[in-house]
């Protein structure tokens, strides 16, 4: 991105995009600008796009940076270019009394750059895809969201992730870990079964809670979570989304929801070890490729 440019027209693959406010600082603590956000998403696209492909997109937009107001956006913007795919899906329980929502489905680099230019810092997707005809398909991914109740940290989440890995392996499921980019982490596994993934995840969470009551909780009540790791199995609800692998997070620094090696999980004894910024993630991708590859296919 051109340094200091307020507005510029660029060619991205076979599309022309007009980018604006490139010099606006979106992460004040590090002086990280919108140009740098667009640059990060452009460079990480080869490993990010497979995890967005076919999935209806929800974004958190921060037009004035992470210290300013933000909003969730599910419905595709009215000015969305016609070349970005959309899928019209039912919206039961919509807070805006809508029967349907027109979701964007991000599949190509220009789509990603378009949203980065909107200061869509966080990208969230469900555990299911839509068909080429735009119909919702059955879930193809299982997720466990591990949320530490203070004073627990991601270190305790790692211990729980190892327990989950063992249980899932016994059931023939291969788990992949990633940080949330905030204070916790998530465990994903490809789901190719006919059963209800949400019910399966709940049963696993309750089983681990029963076996490790001093460390794990499976209920959402905050008073029950102090010093424990909450296994949020409910993220498998088709109406919910989870931050995508390689998405930026709107924290004080441009941290990223970062795929991990199991060795990193096994050896973690300090929460700072698993906090990665955009530049660090790009280096990790150069070194490791897509550690979340098994989940995308």
């Amino acid at each position: 991105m051109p340094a200091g440019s307020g507005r510029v027209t660029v060619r991205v693959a076979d599309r022309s995009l007009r980018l604006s406010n490139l010099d606006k600082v979106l992460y004040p603590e590090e002086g990280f600008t919108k140009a740098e956000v667009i640059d990060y998403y452009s460079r990480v696209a080869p490993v990010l796009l497979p995890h967005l492909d076919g999935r209806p997109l929800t974004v958190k937009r921060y037009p004035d940076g992470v210290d300013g107001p933000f909003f969730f956006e599910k419905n595709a913007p009215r000015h969305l270019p016609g070349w970005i795919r959309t899928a019209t899906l039912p919206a039961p329980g919509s807070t805006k009394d809508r029967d349907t929502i027109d979701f964007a489905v991000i599949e190509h680099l220009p789509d990603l750059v378009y949203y980065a230019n909107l200061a869509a810092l966080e990208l969230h997707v469900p555990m299911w895809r839509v068909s080429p005809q735009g119909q919702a398909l059955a879930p193809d991914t299982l997720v466990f969201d591990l949320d530490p109740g203070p004073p627990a940290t991601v270190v305790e989440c790692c211990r729980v992730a190892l327990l989950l890995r063992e249980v899932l392996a016994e059931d023939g499921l291969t788990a992949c870990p990633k940080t949330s980019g905030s204070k916790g982490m998530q465990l994903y596994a490809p789901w190719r079964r006919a059963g209800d993934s949400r019910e399966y995840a709940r049963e696993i969470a309750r089983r681990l809670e029963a076996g490790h009551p001093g460390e794990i909780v499976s209920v959402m009540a905050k008073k029950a979570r102090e010093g424990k790791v909450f296994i949020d199995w409910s993220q498998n609800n088709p109406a919910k989304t989870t931050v995508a692998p390689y998405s930026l997070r709107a924290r004080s620094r441009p941290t990223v929801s970062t795929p991990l090696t199991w060795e990193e999980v096994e050896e973690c004894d300090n929460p700072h070890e698993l906090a990665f910024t955009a530049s660090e993630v790009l280096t990790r991708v150069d070194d490791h490729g897509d550690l979340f590859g098994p989940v995308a296919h």
Side-chain angles (χ1 to χ4, degrees):
M1 296 296 106
S5 298
R7 187 179 295 269
V8 64
T9 299
V10 298
R11 194 76 180 169
V12 182
D14 58 346
R15 305 295 181 187
S16 179
L17 290 105
R18 191 162 178 77
L19 308 180
S20 61
N21 299 317
L22 294 177
D23 49 3
K24 178 177 282 190
V25 175
L26 299 184
Y27 291 86
E29 185 172 305
E30 295 203 357
F32 201 79
T33 65
K34 190 204 272 193
E36 290 174 291
V37 168
I38 295 172
D39 181 65
Y40 167 73
Y41 275 127
S42 298
R43 294 170 63 189
V44 85
V47 293
L48 167 59
L49 286 172
H51 300 287
L52 302 179
D53 187 36
R55 301 188 190 276
L57 181 71
T58 297
V59 297
K60 285 178 74 174
R61 290 176 56 183
Y62 290 78
D64 295 313
V66 296
D67 292 338
F70 71 90
F71 58 96
F72 279 94
E73 188 170 63
K74 292 180 177 287
N75 215 45
R78 272 182 266 179
H79 50 74
L80 189 79
W83 39 263
I84 295 182
R85 182 186 176 195
T86 59
T88 302
L89 298 166
S94 169
T95 57
K96 297 185 179 180
D97 295 324
R98 294 178 295 205
D99 294 327
T100 61
I101 291 178
D102 294 325
F103 287 93
V105 182
I106 301 304
E107 298 175 324
H108 306 288
L109 177 59
D111 312 357
L112 190 57
V113 172
Y114 172 83
Y115 266 96
N117 186 55
L118 296 181
L121 300 183
E122 296 193 6
L123 312 175
H124 297 248
V125 289
M127 299 298 107
W128 48 273
R129 289 181 164 95
V130 293
S131 71
Q133 295 75 34
Q135 298 171 323
L137 300 172
D140 60 9
T141 308
L142 181 74
V143 62
F144 294 91
D145 190 7
L146 307 182
D147 186 13
T153 68
V154 73
V155 174
E156 285 72 29
C157 290
C158 286
R159 308 287 80 82
V160 174
L162 294 173
L163 295 172
L164 272 169
R165 177 181 65 169
E166 183 177 347
V167 171
L168 294 174
E170 290 172 356
D171 283 350
L173 296 173
T174 300
C176 294
K178 72 177 178 74
T179 71
S180 68
S182 181
K183 59 182 179 177
M185 64 185 297
Q186 289 107 21
L187 219 61
Y188 283 48
W191 181 258
R192 306 288 186 266
R193 303 184 178 188
D196 186 331
S197 59
R198 179 173 46 177
E199 290 302 314
Y200 174 82
R202 179 168 63 175
E203 190 276 327
I204 295 294
R206 288 180 173 175
R207 189 197 313 173
L208 286 174
E209 178 184 39
H212 305 269
E215 304 168 55
I216 296 172
V217 63
S218 67
V219 295
M220 198 168 290
K222 287 193 177 293
K223 63 182 180 181
R225 292 157 59 178
E226 184 176 351
K228 300 180 182 181
V229 173
F230 170 43
I231 301 180
D232 189 356
W233 50 269
S234 72
Q235 291 300 111
N236 294 284
N237 183 328
K240 290 192 174 186
T241 61
T242 303
V243 67
Y246 304 105
S247 173
L248 287 164
R249 299 307 304 267
R251 309 295 290 178
S252 58
R253 302 167 65 227
T255 54
V256 172
S257 182
T258 309
L260 303 168
T261 68
W262 277 112
E263 183 179 11
E264 289 174 314
V265 176
E266 292 163 358
E267 296 180 354
C268 179
D269 58 12
N270 186 317
H272 298 295
E273 294 174 10
L274 299 185
F276 302 103
T277 61
S279 60
E280 292 168 330
V281 167
L282 291 172
T283 299
R284 288 173 62 85
V285 170
D286 287 341
D287 292 341
H288 301 295
D290 183 11
L291 291 171
F292 243 53
V295 177
H297 302 293

